[in-house]
Each structure stands twice: as structure tokens, then as C-alpha cells.
Amino acid sequence: MTEPGPTGTFGNMAFSHDIVHQIGGQSDTNKNTTQRILLLLESTPIGERREAYDRVIRAVIDRYLDEDTHPLNRDSKIRRATEYPDSF
């Protein structure tokens, strides 16, 4: 079997702290961005207990939505996804 990639982006453990808290800015690396997007789009929890997995997914989505500065989000008539707790 071949290795998943020479840079360590794939096939290595990723830690949720960096994935959640290093969004954008100088501290967000290509590796971190790639791991975050793969987590959101292609990951699945391992085992029956999925609390930690769900918590990290929610934290990443919340970080994106909380920092969203789109003008429509300022209108009180527009409901954001975080206002629907069971929608994910």
C-alpha cells in the first residue's frame, strides 16, 4: 500500500483545536484548511459514540457562521442556521 501523501495532510491525526480555532488569518495553513474541509465534507464518526465528532463539526460550522459578516445576517428577519439547533 502506498502512503497517503508526502506532506502529512492525509493519513495523520488532526487535532480539533487547530481545525476549530485557526480559521483564516496567518495561523491557518493549507494543511489545516484541507483537513477542515475534508472533516466537513467527507468524514464520518468512528464507533457508536459520536458526541465528540458532533461537537467538533458544530464548532467549525458555528465559527464560520459567527464570523460571517454578510449584510443579510444583520437583518433580524433573517434566521441564521445556528438558531435551528437540530438542523444538523
Side-chain angles (χ1 to χ4, degrees):
M1 181 183 340
T2 61
E3 293 295 317
T7 63
T9 301
F10 309 103
N12 283 327
M13 190 176 322
F15 295 94
S16 63
H17 184 271
D18 291 341
I19 289 174
V20 172
H21 296 287
Q22 301 296 334
I23 295 178
Q26 297 293 325
S27 299
D28 197 8
T29 63
N30 286 337
K31 177 181 176 181
N32 194 48
T33 301
T34 300
Q35 289 175 335
R36 185 181 319 109
I37 297 303
L38 287 173
L39 172 72
L40 292 173
L41 298 178
E42 298 183 10
S43 68
T44 185
I46 298 173
E48 294 180 22
R49 295 187 60 193
R50 56 179 294 142
E51 295 86 8
Y53 174 83
D54 291 339
R55 192 170 45 249
V56 172
I57 295 289
R58 168 67 66 194
V60 171
I61 292 171
D62 285 348
R63 283 294 309 273
Y64 276 112
L65 295 178
D66 287 344
E67 295 179 8
D68 185 12
T69 58
H70 193 279
L72 289 178
N73 290 341
R74 294 187 189 114
D75 184 350
S76 62
K77 295 179 183 174
I78 303 296
R79 296 200 56 171
R80 299 174 78 190
T82 54
E83 297 177 28
Y84 300 99
D86 296 326
S87 62
F88 293 101

